[in-house]
Amino acid sequence: GAGVSQSPSNKVTEKGKDVELRCDPISGHTALYWYRQSLGQGLEFLIYFQGNSAPDKSGLPSDRFSAERTGGSVSTLTIQRTQQEDSAVYLCASSLNTQETQYFGPGTRLLVL
Amino acid sequence: AQSVTQLDSHVSVSEGTPVLLRCNYSSSYSPSLFWYVQHPNKGLQLLLKYTSAATLVKGINGFEAEFKKSETSFHLTKPSAHMSDAAEYFCVVSDRTTDSWGKLQFGAGTQVVVTP
């Protein structure tokens, strides 16, 4: 079956612009996660959604970062007023619930010039 | 609090020889532990996971890992390396508590090079 998909695969933007990254989870998965992979920080948790519960935003690095999940399926991660340190690969994962294995998408590579 | 330390940033092995990737973890609770692999320009793929059943866990592609609570270790092994094993490997921990479910804590990664 289809895995987790993310779009775009690559994004180049200018400092100060806003960007939106999209994640389509595996059908039927109620939990969705965002992670960031950067050279300096490695792989770090950002936020997760579980069903209709309030999202756990404890990993978001600043208030410029936000995410939403509409209809319990697709999620969008938004970065406002991008900075060069936001350059990284943004990974999305989904799982049946938070206690089950997370399956990762291919990531969106973001470059902020 | 949970954390994970991968003891080697790079490992180089010859094809056909054993692979050992070392991982130590810290967890306030009974953890779940995972190994993920990332091939160049590919997504993360789960190799295996430990969730409190058998301490010796077998995964895909001939990999296995042993959970040793007394040593707080979860080392990954494979008896015979293949060229296709060249990739980056991540040891991952998750506390099985209400606040930590789903929050994977990744190690820094071990880059594996396989030479002919």
Side-chain angles (χ1 to χ4, degrees):
Chain A
V4 178
S5 60
Q6 294 185 244
S7 60
S9 53
N10 291 280
K11 176 71 176 179
V12 181
T13 190
E14 294 178 348
K15 178 181 172 182
K17 300 280 191 182
D18 297 353
V19 295
E20 286 189 351
L21 312 179
R22 177 187 169 105
C23 172
D24 281 272
I26 294 172
S27 178
H29 281 193
T30 64
L32 186 149
Y33 315 80
W34 285 97
Y35 294 87
R36 178 169 71 174
Q37 185 173 24
S38 58
L39 283 176
Q41 302 297 323
L43 263 156
E44 51 183 345
F45 163 82
L46 297 177
I47 185 172
Y48 83 80
F49 300 84
Q50 167 57 55
N52 296 321
S53 302
D56 184 323
K57 307 178 183 179
S58 58
L60 294 178
S62 78
D63 58 8
R64 296 186 296 105
F65 288 73
S66 63
E68 62 178 24
R69 188 178 185 192
T70 54
S73 181
V74 171
S75 177
T76 302
L77 177 69
T78 301
I79 309 173
Q80 295 179 308
R81 305 180 302 281
T82 52
Q83 303 294 313
Q84 288 181 331
E85 61 263 28
D86 299 334
S87 296
V89 176
Y90 290 82
L91 295 168
C92 177
S94 72
S95 62
L96 281 171
N97 55 59
T98 56
Q99 300 177 32
E100 296 296 327
T101 299
Q102 295 182 27
Y103 296 89
F104 284 80
T108 293
R109 187 175 299 275
L110 174 66
L111 178 61
V112 182
L113 300 176
Chain B
Q2 57 191 20
S3 67
V4 61
T5 302
Q6 292 184 243
L7 299 172
D8 308 289
S9 59
H10 289 82
V11 167
S12 182
V13 297
S14 299
E15 189 176 20
T17 64
V19 181
L20 169 65
L21 305 184
R22 297 180 296 164
C23 172
N24 286 106
Y25 70 91
S26 172
S27 173
S28 303
Y29 303 91
S30 182
S32 291
L33 291 157
F34 311 79
W35 277 98
Y36 279 85
V37 61
Q38 187 175 38
H39 287 93
N41 300 314
K42 296 281 183 68
L44 287 159
Q45 181 184 19
L46 179 69
L47 280 178
L48 50 80
K49 67 177 180 180
Y50 166 79
T51 55
S52 82
T55 56
L56 182 62
V57 183
K58 294 188 184 297
I60 62 172
N61 301 334
F63 285 95
E64 63 180 37
E66 186 171 8
F67 173 71
K68 291 187 177 180
K69 186 174 181 178
S70 61
E71 299 176 10
T72 60
S73 69
F74 191 58
H75 302 333
L76 181 71
T77 60
K78 182 172 180 177
S80 177
H82 191 273
M83 295 299 290
S84 61
D85 294 328
E88 188 155 24
Y89 292 77
F90 294 92
C91 183
V92 183
V93 65
S94 177
D95 279 341
R96 285 182 283 143
T97 64
T98 302
D99 290 341
S100 296
W101 276 120
K103 294 184 191 179
L104 299 183
Q105 181 73 42
F106 285 79
T110 298
Q111 187 70 45
V112 172
V113 173
V114 183
T115 56

